[in-house]
Amino acid sequence: MESIAVGLAAFFELMGCQFFLPQPKDRCSPAPDLASWIFLAATVCLLWDISIYPRRFMHMGRAWRVLVETMAAIFIAELGTIVIWCGIERFLYGVTDEILHLIRNSCRPSPYLYWISGLITTFVSGAFLYFVLRATDSIYYINKFVLELWTTIKLSLRMLRCYMTMNTRGRRQALKVCQLTGKMTNRRSSSRRCSTPKEEEYNSD
């Protein structure tokens, strides 16, 4: 799906705006909201990976595709969070409440019901998120992004450490080299933009 469609669907869900399905007045359950947010993250990852826009309509403008995918993303997000997750959360909360009643042998609600139900629902939604990440190969891209980010941070720290150990003259020379490198890069990019296809073919030969 288009990134703007997925982003709008996630934004409306976080703001509590519903367009297709009514939000339950009594919420899904008294359990913490962390599990709902994790399930929403899994739904967003799933929406990011799927494509529902028909290929036969690809010749139309991009605005139509964004509109169709935005409406579809909002509907799927509401269906997942309101219908599917609310049903799962109510079931888990009810089972947890019944088990605690049997253990305590009392009709009064357990003071630990809130936290125990929160742990159980968070575990279930986290498992669903892990399944979606594995199914969509998102873990590979996350690991790749983290590795590239860590490599960039280490290189930047190494350059900063080297720069701090230089004297004033060395720092000035390093800054001049960086400025010259930036100017050469800008000149090359501008020359490539201005060159004709024939010139590029001649240069490549």
Side-chain angles (χ1 to χ4, degrees):
M1 280 191 179
E2 292 282 345
S3 57
I4 185 173
V6 179
L8 286 174
F11 173 76
F12 287 134
E13 283 298 318
L14 290 175
M15 296 300 294
C17 301
Q18 279 75 35
F19 298 94
F20 299 99
L21 301 174
Q23 177 71 26
K25 296 182 180 179
D26 55 348
R27 298 176 56 194
C28 296
S29 73
D33 295 331
L34 178 60
S36 301
W37 296 341
I38 296 175
F39 189 86
L40 177 60
T43 306
V44 169
C45 292
L46 184 62
L47 290 174
W48 209 295
D49 188 69
I50 63 176
S51 178
I52 62 172
Y53 194 75
R55 292 184 178 180
R56 66 177 64 183
F57 298 153
M58 287 296 182
H59 65 280
M60 300 181 67
R62 184 172 178 268
W64 289 103
R65 179 176 180 178
V66 172
L67 178 61
V68 172
E69 290 192 347
T70 300
M71 301 302 292
I74 293 174
F75 175 74
I76 294 174
E78 291 183 7
L79 181 66
T81 54
I82 296 177
V83 178
I84 298 176
W85 177 247
C86 274
I88 295 174
E89 187 174 316
R90 286 196 189 99
F91 172 76
L92 294 175
Y93 185 85
V95 171
T96 305
D97 190 18
E98 290 296 331
I99 292 175
L100 290 178
H101 280 318
L102 293 176
I103 293 174
R104 298 178 68 249
N105 195 14
S106 174
C107 296
R108 294 182 180 179
S110 173
Y112 306 105
L113 176 60
Y114 179 80
W115 301 107
I116 295 176
S117 62
L119 289 175
I120 294 175
T121 53
T122 302
F123 175 79
V124 174
S125 60
F128 186 81
L129 176 61
Y130 178 77
F131 172 79
V132 172
L133 292 177
R134 293 284 295 182
T136 58
D137 291 334
S138 299
I139 292 182
Y140 167 76
Y141 295 106
I142 293 174
N143 292 335
K144 183 180 178 181
F145 172 76
V146 171
L147 181 61
E148 292 178 353
L149 180 63
W150 178 242
T151 304
T152 303
I153 292 175
K154 289 196 298 184
L155 181 61
S156 301
L157 290 176
R158 189 179 303 173
M159 293 176 62
L160 180 61
R161 189 181 303 169
C162 181
Y163 179 79
M164 295 301 294
T165 55
M166 291 181 180
N167 53 19
T168 306
R169 183 178 179 182
R171 293 179 181 178
R172 290 177 180 176
Q173 292 178 354
L175 290 175
K176 288 182 180 180
V177 171
C178 291
Q179 292 175 356
L180 291 174
T181 304
K183 290 180 180 179
M184 292 297 295
T185 304
N186 293 332
R187 288 178 182 177
R188 289 177 181 177
S189 60
S190 61
S191 63
R192 288 178 181 177
R193 292 176 183 175
C194 296
S195 60
T196 61
K198 293 183 177 179
E199 291 178 351
E200 292 181 356
E201 183 178 358
Y202 176 77
N203 293 330
S204 63
D205 295 338

